[in-house]
Amino acid sequence: MWSHARGWVAATGVLAAVLLTAACHAAAPAAEAAVHSSAAAYATTGPVVALGDSYTAGALLPIDTHAKPAGCLRSTKAYPTLVADALGARLIDVACASAGVKNTTQAQPTYLGTNPPQLSALAPGDRLVLLTLSGDDMGFLNVLKECAELSFTQPWGSPCEAHYTKGGTDQLAAGVAAEGPKMSQVLAEIAARAPGARIVVVGYPDMFPQSGGCWPAVPITAGDVAYLRGTEVKANAMLAAAALGAGATFVNTYTPTIGHDFCQPESVRDVEGLLPGSLALPFHPNTRGQQAIATAVLAAIKRA
């Protein structure tokens, strides 16, 4: 999710892997049990297809060594696997780290192999499509990197907000608005290729504390945390509107993860910060976060 700065993602991901390999097989039995029990009363027929970016792929949780291409960083700890397992369904996972909307119809080169166009994995017999996408198109991980750098110039201000709203236009809000029609087109194409499938658009979890910040542990000022939190809320609202317009299901993963942001202790947070405390990419869900997302998805399926 949220980056065209693949070199930065790769470098930080490697750092996390080196420092935190011991955590890669850490389990959360209670959370996994909750995921499975929530699906006990219902199931699906036909395969589950996972599309999207690194939030779908579950990058580095740890990497599934059997998944191809390896450069997509898919993990069996990611929410699509948890959902498919709970439903007793076969999973077709083509999500890929750093994927954007264009990679739904165009091949995506990675450092280790090329991922085919994601929509090519769809078929008329599919029954459930899971999708988290759009953050990379908005370059949000690049934004977080820039906000971190700017924080040292004005630790008690909002230098990143000033940068992105210079001239009176909020560039990040404009990026979110521009993404809406693209997501609507993607959802229309999914429906055309898999007309019998239920399409589930999965939103992004709460990354930022509801007040304040944790500079310099995560070097983003409190003022910019508030600005970026507002941008994430706008992004989720855009995804919800696109889903509604397409007759798809939107899953709100933001509300259930409030209080589990990157400023929280390692035992509580669902999303890691700049230097992850567990095996995950910076500013991405950890194993606990992926389980929380899976629980929200299964609850949404059960309600319908």
Side-chain angles (χ1 to χ4, degrees):
M1 175 207 179
W2 291 356
S3 177
H4 297 295
R6 295 178 181 172
W8 186 71
V9 171
T12 50
V14 169
L15 174 62
V18 171
L19 294 177
L20 305 166
T21 300
C24 71
H25 296 293
E32 289 182 357
V35 167
H36 285 273
S37 64
S38 68
Y42 59 96
T44 186
T45 58
V48 173
V49 182
L51 311 174
D53 57 27
S54 53
Y55 270 54
T56 313
L60 289 183
L61 291 179
I63 295 172
D64 180 0
T65 57
H66 299 291
K68 305 297 180 185
C72 284
L73 307 181
R74 296 184 196 117
S75 174
T76 57
K77 298 291 186 180
Y79 77 79
T81 299
L82 301 179
V83 169
D85 286 351
L87 296 174
R90 179 168 67 94
L91 175 65
I92 300 172
D93 190 353
V94 294
C96 196
S98 296
V101 164
K102 71 176 183 180
N103 301 120
T104 60
T105 56
Q106 299 177 29
Q108 179 185 353
T110 74
Y111 290 109
L112 296 169
T114 298
N115 201 41
Q118 293 191 22
L119 294 185
S120 66
L122 296 171
D126 297 334
R127 288 296 176 264
L128 181 65
V129 178
L130 304 175
L131 171 70
T132 301
L133 188 67
S134 75
D136 283 277
D137 286 330
M138 293 181 283
F140 209 77
L141 194 55
N142 265 349
V143 171
L144 294 175
K145 177 178 179 288
E146 187 155 24
C147 289
E149 294 172 349
L150 289 171
S151 76
F152 292 96
T153 68
Q154 195 179 356
W156 295 277
S158 303
C160 199
E161 180 179 13
H163 173 76
Y164 283 105
T165 59
K166 187 177 181 180
T169 299
D170 188 332
Q171 297 176 43
L172 301 190
V176 170
E179 192 69 9
K182 299 177 186 178
M183 286 300 300
S184 295
Q185 181 61 37
V186 168
L187 296 177
E189 292 175 359
I190 292 172
R193 293 175 184 242
R198 180 172 181 185
I199 303 170
V200 177
V201 179
V202 182
Y204 292 101
D206 180 23
M207 297 178 63
F208 307 98
Q210 295 298 295
S211 63
C214 48
W215 193 95
V218 178
I220 299 175
T221 71
D224 284 334
V225 162
Y227 169 61
L228 294 171
R229 184 176 62 248
T231 301
E232 185 186 3
V233 169
K234 290 184 179 74
N236 276 325
M238 175 272 295
L239 292 173
L244 179 63
T249 298
F250 175 74
V251 179
N252 172 12
T253 67
Y254 184 91
T255 300
T257 54
I258 288 174
H260 299 273
D261 54 82
F262 58 53
C263 281
Q264 302 307 314
E266 184 178 342
S267 61
V268 174
R269 63 178 175 259
D270 290 340
V271 178
E272 297 294 338
L274 181 60
L275 293 176
S278 62
L279 198 59
L281 286 178
F283 302 114
H284 281 68
N286 52 30
T287 300
R288 185 184 302 104
Q290 288 287 348
Q291 289 165 344
I293 294 170
T295 298
V297 171
L298 289 166
I301 293 172
K302 185 177 181 180
R303 284 194 300 269

